[in-house]
């Protein structure tokens, strides 16, 4: 292991194992965070007296904030220093973790975990990338990228299991307390990090930054407001569409005039980059859609606790990890585009199989085989999409291209979480109301009560909790409402899964175009960014 220099800095030569481990720990926390929340939805709803749609909105908002600010975060890191941005990002994420440990209502989660924690992630990711590049070189740099990448993959694989175990045996708050403890350890080791100076232009594209936030934020917030029954949904969606369209126009115009841009539109001249970014977006929409609808189904329909929900998700997460590792090692002589096509095909087939099995399966293990197929498809995509996207990018521009790639993935994840969850809950509300109105058992007054209860806030409720709330009703009315609830919940999951299925099918169509493109060999810097 290399020695720490007397001024507290780490020379770029050699391999500082402790620093590499600390950077991997930071990445582990970033990836495992959402998994903890997904498998703890029912516990959070019960403890905070919140709604499923409210918690799901907070999860989607955290991903959205990270996506909206990640491009800005990279520029902020250039201006204030990469090390300082990295520390501020860790602190922001730490604030979010502590807030989750102490939160007494959903507002605290939205403000501190979703917004402050999301901004922290947008500073942490680009800062970490630059610091790895500046504190390690040659083979040591590749080892660190590989270690950080492996840490992220392991977190994605075991996150649902860790979250489920802690939530069931102790409390959902303990997992986030553990995150805060890890962040404290990582912060304690920042003294050995050498800052990486930025020598490029210091001008900031403020208009581009604002338009990017408005574009991505308007679309996702519009979906979330629609889900909650709020007003001005159309206005928010219009702001999103106009914002993204204006961003494209602004970047092209500003680039032609020779001014600094938030993102160089010249990156998109590469067909590989355009196709890869699109594939990344679609893959993350599918992942986000599956990872919000399935935990809701396991916890609110099958009435699983967090551990049982985590175990039910294990076939997906573990097969995703295993296939990603296997493809990364064994696919050297196969075309990345061909592997991507197989990945989207397996992803679509697995999700369709889930839809077919759901009405007939009464346990999570009935979905094990479809989830293994889904996870295998995602693993193939994870192993190849980044490499395919960044292969045509030169070494001096790879950091900027990687930031755009990360932003596209984070936005896709937030959109998938928001849209699939909203569609599932809206389907639940509509189907419940329709069946209640058509019921011969429920009197007109009870039908009106059901419609009013679901009008403002769609809610997925377990039969046990619903029976408790109907304790004062006549038995025939109680049994009829529970029957309707039992019938419509699998249907709502099937409709919600249409979002990731459509995304996977569009990705499959896109992959045929990718196959027609020539293969490119990634530069050494790109290989490093992807973990070798």
């Amino acid at each position: 292991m290399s020695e720490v220099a007397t001024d507290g800095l780490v020379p770029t030569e050699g391999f500082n194992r402790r620093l590499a481990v600390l950077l991997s720990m930071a990445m582990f926390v970033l990836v495992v965070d959402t998994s903890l929340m997904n498998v703890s939805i029912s516990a959070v709803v019960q403890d905070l007296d919140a709604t499923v749609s409210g918690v799901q909105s907070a999860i989607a908002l955290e991903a959205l904030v990270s996506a909206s600010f990640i491009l800005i975060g990279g520029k902020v890191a250039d201006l204030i220093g990469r090390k300082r941005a990295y520390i501020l990002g860790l602190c922001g994420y730490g604030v979010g973790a502590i807030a989750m440990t102490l939160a007494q209502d959903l507002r605290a989660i939205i403000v501190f975990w979703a917004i402050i924690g999301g901004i922290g992630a947008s500073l942490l990711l680009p800062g970490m990338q630059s610091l790895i590049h500046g504190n390690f070189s040659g083979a040591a740099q590749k080892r660190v990228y590989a270690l950080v990448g492996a840490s992220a993959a392991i977190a994605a694989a075991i996150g649902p299991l860790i979250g489920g175990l802690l939530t069931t045996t102790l409390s959902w708050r303990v997992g986030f307390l553990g995150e805060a403890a890890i962040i404290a350890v990582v912060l304690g080791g920042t003294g050995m990090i050498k800052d990486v100076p930025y020598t490029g232009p210091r001008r900031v594209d403020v208009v581009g930054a604002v338009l990017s936030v408005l574009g991505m934020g308007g679309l996702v917030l519009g979906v979330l407001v629609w889900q909650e029954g709020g007003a001005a949904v159309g206005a928010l969606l219009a702001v999103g569409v106009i914002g993204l369209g204006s961003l494209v126009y602004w970047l092209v115009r500003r680039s032609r005039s020779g001014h600094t841009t938030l993102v160089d539109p010249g990156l998109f001249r590469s067909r590989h980059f355009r196709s890869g970014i699109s594939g990344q977006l679609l893959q993350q929409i599918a992942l986000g859609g599956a990872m919000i609808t399935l935990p809701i189904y396991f916890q609110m329909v099958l009435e699983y606790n967090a551990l049982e929900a985590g175990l039910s998700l294990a076939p997906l997460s573990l097969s995703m990890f295993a296939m990603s590792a296997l493809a990364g090692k064994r696919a050297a002589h196969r075309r990345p585009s061909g592997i991507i096509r197989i990945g989207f095909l397996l992803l679509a087939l697995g999700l369709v199989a889930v839809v077919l099995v759901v009405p007939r399966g009464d346990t999570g293990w009935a979905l094990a085989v479809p989830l293994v197929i889904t996870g295998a498809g995602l693993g193939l995509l994870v192993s190849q999409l980044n490499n395919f996207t960044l292969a045509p990018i030169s070494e001096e521009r790879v950091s900027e291209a990687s930031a755009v790639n990360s932003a596209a993935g984070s936005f896709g994840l937030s959109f998938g979480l928001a849209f699939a969850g909203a569609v599932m809950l809206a389907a639940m509300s509509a189907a419940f109301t329709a069946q209640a109105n058509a019921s011969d058992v429920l009197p007109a007054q009870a039908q009106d009560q059901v419609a009013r209860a679901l009008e403002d806030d769609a809610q997925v409720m377990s039969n046990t909790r619903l029976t408790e709330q109907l304790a004062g009703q006549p038995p025939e009315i109680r049994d009829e409402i529970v029957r309707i609830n039992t019938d419509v919940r699998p249907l709502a999951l099937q409709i919600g899964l249409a979002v990731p299925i459509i995304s996977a099918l569009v990705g499959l169509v896109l992959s045929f175009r990718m196959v027609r493109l020539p293969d490119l060999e990634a530069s050494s810097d790109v290989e490093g960014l992807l973990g070798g």
Side-chain angles (χ1 to χ4, degrees), residues 46-178:
Q46 184 174 358
D47 285 359
L48 301 185
D49 193 24
T51 64
V52 173
S53 59
V55 175
Q56 179 253 331
S57 296
I59 295 172
L61 184 61
E62 194 269 347
L64 169 64
V65 171
S66 175
S68 299
F69 287 93
I70 194 166
L71 295 176
I72 305 170
K75 189 62 179 179
V76 169
D78 293 340
L79 297 177
I80 70 173
R82 277 68 178 269
K83 180 178 178 179
R84 184 174 298 169
Y86 172 75
I87 293 173
L88 288 175
L90 283 171
C91 291
Y93 228 69
V95 167
I98 293 173
M100 292 297 291
T101 306
L102 304 175
Q104 298 302 310
D105 58 44
L106 192 59
R107 288 172 296 181
I109 291 177
I110 290 174
V111 172
F112 294 103
W113 181 72
I115 297 178
I116 295 180
I119 293 174
S122 71
L123 288 171
L124 181 56
L125 282 171
M128 180 190 301
Q129 176 181 294
S130 298
L131 291 176
I132 293 174
H133 200 69
N135 283 262
F136 300 90
S137 63
Q141 185 182 99
K142 287 191 175 184
R143 288 179 64 188
V144 178
Y145 277 123
L147 188 61
V148 170
S151 178
I154 292 171
I158 67 174
L161 298 175
I162 294 176
L165 179 63
L166 292 177
T167 300
T168 302
T169 59
L170 298 170
S171 167
W172 60 273
R173 300 177 187 274
V174 174
F176 293 98
L177 180 62

Side-chain angles (χ1 to χ4, degrees), residues 217-238:
L219 289 177
V220 176
L221 287 177
V223 173
L224 295 178
V225 171
W226 165 61
Q227 169 186 294
E228 294 293 331
V233 173
L236 284 170
L237 294 175

Side-chain angles (χ1 to χ4, degrees), residues 418-441:
F419 195 46
V423 167
M424 179 181 180
L425 295 172
M428 174 76 183
S429 175
F432 204 122
T433 302
Q435 289 207 27
N437 290 336
S439 173
D440 295 330
V441 177

Side-chain angles (χ1 to χ4, degrees), residues 233-298:
V233 173
L236 284 170
L237 294 175
V239 167
V241 172
I242 295 172
L244 289 179
S246 300
L247 175 63
V248 174
Y249 173 78
W250 171 261
L251 293 176
V252 172
R253 179 182 176 184
R254 190 169 173 85
S255 176
R256 287 174 178 172
S257 62
H259 293 95
T260 301
T261 57
L262 178 69
V263 176
D264 182 5
L267 290 171
F268 293 89
R269 295 193 185 102
S270 167
R271 291 183 296 170
H272 283 78
F273 188 76
R274 290 198 306 270
S275 299
I277 286 288
S278 300
Q280 184 78 263
L281 178 73
L282 293 166
Q283 180 244 333
Q284 289 294 323
I285 290 175
L287 176 61
M291 293 306 289
I292 194 65
T293 53
L294 289 170
I296 290 176
Y297 177 77
F298 290 140

